[in-house]
Amino acid sequence: METFAVRRTIRPLAGWATAIGAYFLLIGLIAESMTGFLTDNPTFVDLPGQAGFTALNTTQGYTATLSALLAVPVGAFTAVRLAEFAALETNRRLTLLAAQPIHRNRLLAAEATAAAGGAIALAATAALATWLGITTTGGNLRLTAALAGTCNTLPVAALCLGAAIFALGWAPRMTAALGALPAAGGFLLQTIAESTSAPAWVINLSPFAHLAPVPLAEVNWPATAIMSAIAVVLTVLGGYGYQHRDLRG
């Protein structure tokens, strides 16, 4: 089961990693010129600052802001991988496998673990690409700082994975949409709420509101722990639902 899940993940992971790596390499290559431009034109720093993106005129602030955006594609990756697993049921390709003397949650755990491993790999790819781009152009950013920035988004990806597993257990046809909601919906909510000066409680509904700008600042460990705990609860509930429902065709 585990080998099958990993094998199914490798090819799409390679595609996602190539796209994300290319994007963050470009981000790294233009980092020095962009921070210089923003330093000379502070108006362009103030406007994003109203949406919660601060210190864009410094290498670490610029890296922290762009690293936060990584949560959207990585969260979408985990949601899509679980949606693909749900599609195996719809296409009746999982029926014979599920009929074997195998605990159904073992199938789910294999897919979820492969998706989580892929998310970590994508975060590492983005960090390496950013660091390589910045150092190539003479910038100053340690690889560990770049890794801290991208790995800081993994709790949001964990929320996406948990939401996708929950949907798989209770509403399998909505796995992709519900799984991507914490990242894509959360980012959109924060951007609109910050730009329109919405009440604090509205802003705090977004997971991005609780991500510290790493490596510009330290990780917000309490928020990380809470998001991780919510992801675990969603995963447990989703596993329970998946174990107790029929296969969907």
Side-chain angles (χ1 to χ4, degrees):
M1 299 303 99
E2 292 75 15
T3 303
F4 177 65
V6 171
R7 188 168 64 247
R8 288 183 56 254
T9 303
I10 288 177
R11 182 174 295 181
L13 176 61
W16 284 78
T18 299
I20 288 175
Y23 175 78
F24 278 89
L25 177 62
L26 176 61
I27 291 302
L29 289 172
I30 66 174
E32 288 302 299
S33 59
M34 283 297 297
T35 52
F37 171 78
L38 292 171
T39 299
D40 296 335
N41 299 272
T43 301
F44 292 97
V45 179
D46 296 337
L47 291 175
Q50 296 175 11
F53 306 113
T54 59
L56 284 173
N57 58 338
T58 67
T59 299
Q60 288 195 332
Y62 175 84
T63 302
T65 297
L66 273 299
S67 294
L69 300 181
L70 178 66
V72 177
V74 174
F77 169 80
T78 62
V80 168
R81 294 315 305 154
L82 268 295
E84 286 289 327
F85 182 63
L88 293 179
E89 291 188 11
T90 305
N91 298 332
R92 298 183 180 180
R93 298 172 59 189
L94 195 64
T95 305
L96 292 178
L97 185 61
Q100 301 297 315
I102 300 171
H103 200 285
R104 290 184 65 189
N105 276 343
R106 180 183 172 188
L107 298 175
L108 177 57
E111 292 293 332
T113 301
I120 295 172
L122 291 177
T125 298
L128 182 60
T130 304
W131 170 80
L132 182 62
I134 291 177
T135 54
T136 298
T137 54
N140 181 23
L141 181 71
R142 293 177 300 170
L143 179 57
T144 53
L147 280 169
T150 57
C151 290
N152 183 54
T153 64
L154 289 178
V156 180
L159 283 176
C160 290
L161 181 59
I165 293 173
F166 179 84
L168 181 67
W170 300 97
R173 297 186 186 278
M174 299 182 65
T175 300
L178 291 180
L181 186 62
F187 177 75
L188 184 62
L189 172 63
Q190 187 200 21
T191 302
I192 295 175
E194 291 277 7
S195 300
T196 59
S197 299
W201 70 267
V202 175
I203 298 173
N204 288 334
L205 292 175
S206 169
F208 289 87
H210 307 286
L211 288 181
V214 180
L216 187 64
E218 294 295 324
V219 176
N220 185 348
W221 290 112
T224 296
I226 292 173
M227 284 189 280
S228 299
I230 294 173
V232 170
V233 171
L234 289 172
T235 298
V236 172
L237 292 175
Y240 178 84
Y242 181 70
Q243 176 65 24
H244 289 83
R245 71 166 173 79
D246 293 333
L247 293 179
R248 303 292 175 87

